[in-house]
Amino acid sequence: MSAAGWMLVAAPVAALVLLTALLRPRAAGAIAPHRLGVVRAALLTGVFAVLTVEVLGTLDALTLPAFALAWLIFVAGVAVAAGRRRDPGATPAAVEGSRRAVLVGAAVGGPSADDPTVDASGPPPADAAASPATVRGGVAALLAGWADRLTHLRRTATRGERLLAGTVLAVVLTELVVALLAEPNNFDSQTYHLPKVEHWVAQGSLEFWPTAIHRQVTIPPGAEYLLLHLRLFTGGDALHNLVQWAAGIGCLLAATRITAQLGGGRRAQLVTAFLLATTPMVALQATSTQTDLVAAAWAACAATLVLDGLRRRAGLTDALALGAATGLTALTKTSGLIAVGPLLLLWGLAQLRLARRPAGGVPDRAAPTGGRQVARTVGGSLLVLLVAATVVGPFLARETAEFGHPLGPPRLRESIPMERHDPAAVLVNALRIGHTAFDTPLAPLRAGTASAIIDGSRAVGVDPQDRAITFGREVFPVPAWYPDEDRVAFPLAGALALVGAVVALARPRRVVPGRSAALRAYAGVVVGAVVLHTAMIKWQPWGNRLLLYALVLAVPLAGLWVDAVLRRRDGTGRRSVAAGLVVTVLATSALAGVLALSYGFPRRLVGAGSVFTTGEWDTRFLRRPQWADEFRWAASAVRASDARRIGLVQQNDNWEYPWWLLLRDDDGRSPELVALQSVLPDRPPADPTSVDAIVCTGPRTECARLVPAGWTIEYRDHVGYALPPTR
C-alpha cells in the first residue's frame, strides 16, 4: 500500500479520535463519559461512511479520489468543530451549537436548527471553555483521561481484576495479530460479501447487476460499505479483517458501559469484558470479514443509549445518536432490529414518563409544561426514526424498486423467517436453537438432549425437520461445539447470561440494590428479544452467529450476577461453593477463548493452517483447499488468452471472489466480469457470445449448457473454463 493509502486509512481513525474528544459529555454525573464519547463518535463516523457511499454511488463516483476528498473534508470539519469547543472566546452555548451542527449535518445531511430541548449531556463547564484553543489540546486531554484511568486501575485493582483486564487485553491484541496476518477466508465472504465490494469498485456505482448469487444484492450491505472504503484506500483486502476487529472493540466498550449503567462497579465491568472477549464466537469473528459482530456493535450502541434515556430526558444529541444506531443496525443485519425495536419502545416509554414529571422532581414555573414535554418526546422519537430512515432508506428503496418489496425477493423472505407461528412450532424452534447455542463437546449429552427434543416435538405434533421452521434442507441436530467462526456454540457465556437474566427479572435487588427497576426492564427487553428471535428466525446450523447481537446484549447481565455472587461471599458453605463454581466457569471461559484463537477455524495461531506458516493463497482456501489449484489453473489459462470480458457461470453458494483476485490486470485494475446467469428478473444475463472467455464453478453440465457451440471446455472437479476457437 502506498504512503497516500496509509494516510487515507488514518483518516477514519483521526476522525474517531477527534469526535470522541468533541462528543464526550462534560457534565458531572455522566456514566463512563469516555466510552459514551467513543460510542457517539463511532456512530457519527459510521453514518458518514454510509452516506458517503450512498451519495457518491448515486453520482457514479465510487472512486478513490472522490472518497479521499470526502474524508479530508470530513476530518477537517471535525477538527474545526473540536477547535471551536476548545475556543476560549466561545460561549458554552456556541460551543454546544457547534457540536450539534456537526451531528445534524452529518446524520441527516442538512444544517442544524435551534434545539429547544436541553441536551442531557449539558454544555461544557466554564473552565472547559477557557481552555487553550487547540484541537491538539482536546485530543491530548482525551488521551490523558484514558491514561489516568488506566493508571488508577493499575494502582488500585485487585489481583483478580488485573488478571481479568490482562486477559482481555491479551485476547484483543492477539486478535489484531491474526486479523492483520490472515487473508480473508470466510465462506460467505468468498460468495457474496467481498464480490459485492468488487462489483461496486468495478462499476463505480451501487446499481444492481445480473448475478446468479442473489445475496450479492439482497442482503443489507452496511458492513460492506465500510469495507469499500478500505478497498479503495488500499487497493486490496489486506485490512478488511480490521472492520470486525474494531466492531469487537466497540462491543466491549458498549457492553461494559451497559454494565456500569445498570449499577455494576469495576469488577462487574471487567467480568463482562472478560466473558465477552473469551467467547469463541466473538474471538473468531473479530478476525473475519463476516458481518455479525458489526451488527452486534451497532445494536449494543443502541442499548447503551437507551439506558441513558431511562434516567434522564434525551436531547438532540441523544436522539440523533439513537437514530444512527438504529439505522446502522438495520443496514448491516436486519435481525439486529429484533433487539433494537424493543429497546426503542423501552426508551420511548421512559421518555414519556420523564416528560410527565418536572426535572429533579421540583416544579419549575419557567420549565415547559407537561404537554410540551410530551410533544418534544414525540418529536424526538420521530427524529430517531427519520435519522434511521436516512441511513437505511436508500438501500430499501433500491430493493423495493428491484423486487417490489423492501425486504427483497420472495426466496429471501421465505428462506430465513419462520413460516409457522403456532405455539408448538415456536417452542420446537426455540428448543432446537437453544440446543445448538449451548452445545458442548460432550457427545452423550448432545445426543441425549437432541433425542429428547425430537421426541418431544413429535409428541406435540411438530415435525422436527419441518421446512417451515428449518432453513433450506438442513437437518437437526448438528455439532456446534467446535471453534468454527460460523457455528461455534457459547455454552459458558450463554449459561451465565441466562442465569443473570432470570435473577435480574425475579430478584433484581440481589444483583443491584439501587437500580433494580432499570435492571429488570433491561433484562426483560433482552429476554423478549431472544423469544422474538426464536419466533421469527428458522433454526439453521450456523444460527449461533445470528444470535451474536443478543449474546452481546445479554453478557452484561452475566457480569452483574457474577459480581453479585463474588460480592456476597462471606465464608458460608453455600455461597463459597457458588463463588467457587463461578471462578471455575471463568477459568474455563478463558481456556475456551485461548483454544479458539489457537486452534479456531479457519484462522488459527498454531497447527495446520497457522497464520504464521500458511501461504496467502492457501489461507484463502482453507475452507476448500481442493479448489485452490483449480482456480489458479483456470485463471492462468484465461489470462494467457488475453481475454478482456469474461463470463461467469456459477450457483448460489459458489465462490466468486477468487476470480476478482486472479483475473485482475497487471496494474491491479478490476477485471470485466459479467454473469451468464441472473436471478434478477429485470436484469438479464450477458450473452455468452459477447465474452472473450468463460470461467465456471459447480457442475460441468451447467457450464456446458451456456458455452457457445465450437468453444473448447476444460474442466477439473469443481472449476472449469471455456475459450472460443480464436483463442
Side-chain angles (χ1 to χ4, degrees):
M1 183 169 56
S2 65
W6 280 111
M7 292 178 62
L8 291 173
V9 169
V13 179
L16 187 66
V17 173
L18 289 170
L19 285 170
T20 300
L22 176 65
L23 298 177
R24 76 184 192 278
R26 303 296 181 87
I31 298 175
H34 284 72
R35 277 171 278 178
L36 178 56
V38 174
V39 166
R40 289 173 171 176
L43 290 170
L44 182 52
T45 304
V47 168
F48 171 78
V50 165
L51 295 185
T52 297
V53 173
E54 291 289 358
V55 172
L56 294 180
T58 302
L59 300 175
D60 294 339
L62 298 181
T63 62
L64 176 58
F67 274 62
L69 179 62
W71 275 105
L72 291 176
I73 293 175
F74 181 64
V75 173
V78 171
V80 170
R84 287 190 61 188
R85 185 173 189 180
R86 305 288 297 177
D87 187 353
T91 64
V95 170
E96 181 65 10
S98 171
R99 180 176 68 171
R100 290 175 177 172
V102 172
L103 278 166
V104 174
V108 300
S112 173
D114 293 335
D115 177 24
T117 63
V118 178
D119 192 333
S121 62
D127 58 348
S131 301
T134 61
V135 175
R136 183 171 58 186
V139 174
L142 172 69
L143 298 179
W146 284 101
D148 289 343
R149 283 159 176 77
L150 291 175
T151 301
H152 180 72
L153 173 64
R154 187 172 61 253
R155 290 177 177 176
T156 62
T158 64
R159 182 179 301 176
E161 290 173 341
R162 291 194 188 98
L163 182 60
L164 292 171
T167 302
V168 172
L169 180 61
V171 168
V172 168
L173 292 179
T174 303
E175 291 169 352
L176 177 60
V177 171
V178 176
L180 289 173
L181 292 180
E183 288 74 24
N185 60 0
N186 171 262
F187 194 104
D188 283 348
S189 296
Q190 306 275 18
T191 300
Y192 67 95
H193 290 310
L194 300 187
K196 186 185 302 186
V197 176
E198 295 300 326
H199 276 285
W200 294 333
V201 173
Q203 64 189 25
S205 72
L206 299 176
E207 184 180 359
F208 290 162
W209 52 90
T211 178
I213 304 173
H214 77 86
R215 291 174 293 174
Q216 292 182 358
V217 296
T218 58
I219 299 294
E224 291 90 338
Y225 279 1
L226 306 182
L227 291 176
L228 176 60
H229 292 261
L230 292 179
R231 168 65 176 85
L232 290 172
F233 291 165
T234 65
D237 58 16
L239 301 183
H240 278 11
N241 291 332
L242 293 186
V243 170
Q244 283 255 112
W245 180 80
I249 300 296
C251 287
L252 291 175
L253 294 176
T256 53
R257 185 170 189 266
I258 290 170
T259 305
Q261 290 171 289
L262 294 175
R266 183 170 66 191
R267 183 173 61 187
Q269 296 173 52
L270 287 172
V271 170
T272 297
F274 176 86
L275 287 173
L276 194 57
T278 57
T279 298
M281 177 66 78
V282 175
L284 291 170
Q285 288 240 356
T287 64
S288 168
T289 47
Q290 192 55 273
T291 63
D292 304 282
L293 207 52
V294 177
W298 297 136
C301 289
T304 191
L305 294 171
V306 164
L307 287 177
D308 281 338
L310 300 188
R311 54 191 292 267
R312 57 175 173 77
R313 294 172 188 159
L316 177 61
T317 299
D318 304 294
L320 290 172
L322 189 53
T326 303
L328 289 169
T329 302
L331 187 63
T332 304
K333 216 171 189 70
T334 51
S335 57
L337 294 178
I338 296 174
V340 174
L343 284 168
L344 290 178
L345 178 61
L346 176 63
W347 180 83
L349 293 175
Q351 288 297 299
L352 286 175
R353 177 179 57 83
L354 292 172
R356 292 179 179 275
R357 69 183 187 187
V362 179
D364 184 358
R365 293 182 180 180
T369 63
R372 290 181 60 191
Q373 288 288 3
V374 171
R376 289 178 179 178
T377 299
V378 174
S381 301
L382 293 176
L383 180 60
V384 170
L385 298 179
L386 175 62
V387 174
T390 301
V391 174
V392 73
F395 169 71
L396 296 182
R398 288 194 297 274
E399 290 284 293
T400 303
E402 189 73 31
F403 303 107
H405 195 286
L407 298 181
R411 64 183 301 177
L412 178 64
R413 303 197 306 271
E414 296 169 1
S415 61
I416 297 177
M418 287 274 285
E419 297 177 82
R420 289 182 57 179
H421 298 91
D422 54 287
V426 172
L427 175 62
V428 171
N429 195 54
L431 291 174
R432 295 183 306 165
I433 289 176
H435 179 274
T436 305
F438 290 92
D439 190 24
T440 71
L442 303 176
L445 178 61
R446 180 191 313 119
T449 52
S451 178
I453 292 172
I454 291 173
D455 293 341
S457 64
R458 289 170 177 162
V460 297
V462 177
D463 180 359
Q465 315 301 344
D466 187 351
R467 297 301 104 188
I469 61 173
T470 305
F471 180 85
R473 299 179 180 179
E474 305 300 328
V475 177
F476 173 83
V478 296
W481 63 269
Y482 183 79
D484 182 303
E485 66 174 355
D486 284 337
R487 64 173 64 189
V488 62
F490 31 82
L492 298 176
L496 290 177
L498 178 61
V499 173
V502 171
V503 176
L505 289 172
R507 308 183 74 175
R509 288 185 177 84
R510 292 178 63 88
V511 181
V512 183
R515 295 181 184 171
S516 57
L519 177 61
R520 178 175 281 167
Y522 181 78
V525 168
V526 172
V527 172
V530 174
V531 172
L532 284 174
H533 185 101
T534 61
M536 298 174 66
I537 306 295
K538 293 177 179 178
W539 175 87
Q540 48 193 285
W542 44 89
N544 288 341
R545 65 180 180 81
L546 302 183
L547 270 173
L548 191 55
Y549 74 92
L551 178 71
V552 171
L553 297 182
V555 165
L557 301 175
L560 290 166
W561 177 73
V562 168
D563 179 66
V565 171
L566 297 176
R567 187 174 64 244
R568 292 196 301 270
R569 182 175 54 184
D570 59 3
T572 60
R574 181 168 60 87
R575 289 178 178 170
S576 294
V577 170
L581 289 174
V582 165
V583 171
T584 301
V585 171
L586 292 179
T588 307
S589 180
L591 178 61
V594 170
L595 291 176
L597 286 172
S598 300
Y599 296 99
F601 194 74
R603 291 166 302 282
R604 57 177 52 171
L605 292 173
V606 298
S610 167
V611 294
F612 297 113
T613 60
T614 308
E616 172 188 350
W617 197 249
D618 292 330
T619 298
R620 295 183 185 277
F621 279 84
L622 281 174
R623 283 284 186 189
R624 296 291 186 272
Q626 67 275 19
W627 293 350
D629 288 339
E630 296 190 21
F631 269 94
R632 285 189 289 191
W633 160 75
S636 296
V638 171
R639 286 176 62 90
S641 71
D642 292 328
R644 298 300 180 188
R645 179 177 167 87
I646 303 165
L648 291 173
V649 177
Q650 55 195 2
Q651 284 70 55
N652 185 57
D653 210 29
N654 289 170
W655 289 11
E656 180 181 311
Y657 186 58
W659 298 126
W660 290 97
L661 299 177
L662 291 167
L663 297 174
R664 283 183 182 176
D665 293 343
D666 293 335
D667 59 2
R669 289 183 303 177
S670 299
E672 185 181 1
L673 298 180
V674 295
L676 303 185
Q677 310 137 289
S678 179
V679 294
L680 277 65
D682 297 329
R683 298 189 183 271
D687 186 340
T689 61
S690 70
V691 301
D692 303 323
I694 296 173
V695 291
C696 308
T697 51
R700 179 189 176 105
T701 54
E702 184 65 16
C703 183
R705 184 180 67 84
L706 293 169
V707 170
W711 285 40
T712 301
I713 302 178
E714 297 290 342
Y715 225 90
R716 291 192 176 178
D717 183 54
H718 179 72
V719 178
Y721 68 91
L723 296 173
T726 56
R727 294 182 183 271

